Amino acid sequence: MAMSVGEIERLIREAIPDAEVTIKDMAGDGDHYAAMVVSSAFKGKTRVQQHQMVYDALKGRMGGQLHALSLQTAAKK
């Protein structure tokens, strides 16, 4: 079962409350998304650590309910 944009945003914002989240459905199939997540919680963290925070927020749904997510992250300035 595919995940909705709203569900992805909700999970990320629950784990990273100040996150600015932009998500696009890349294929129109509810399975392939691109996301940009900006948060002050990323300050001082490596790109890998930032991505891990987002993947952790998705609570194990990557590879199952959420097939593909092209992820970009940045710290708020």
Side-chain angles (χ1 to χ4, degrees):
M1 180 176 182
M3 289 183 72
S4 71
V5 168
E7 178 72 2
I8 297 167
E9 283 187 44
R10 182 186 67 76
L11 289 170
I12 293 171
R13 289 200 174 119
E14 280 179 3
I16 310 168
D18 78 329
E20 296 172 10
V21 183
T22 306
I23 300 175
K24 295 180 185 175
D25 186 340
M26 300 303 288
D29 62 1
D31 257 351
H32 298 81
Y33 293 101
M36 175 66 179
V37 182
V38 180
S39 171
S40 59
F42 297 152
K43 189 172 184 177
K45 303 226 183 315
T46 67
R47 187 83 51 196
V48 170
Q49 290 170 322
Q50 293 173 15
H51 286 207
Q52 188 60 52
M53 289 173 69
V54 175
Y55 292 136
D56 288 348
L58 296 173
K59 301 178 181 178
R61 289 174 173 88
M62 276 302 304
Q65 287 179 304
L66 181 55
H67 176 70
L69 180 66
S70 173
L71 183 59
Q72 291 183 311
T73 57
K76 283 186 184 177
K77 296 182 180 191

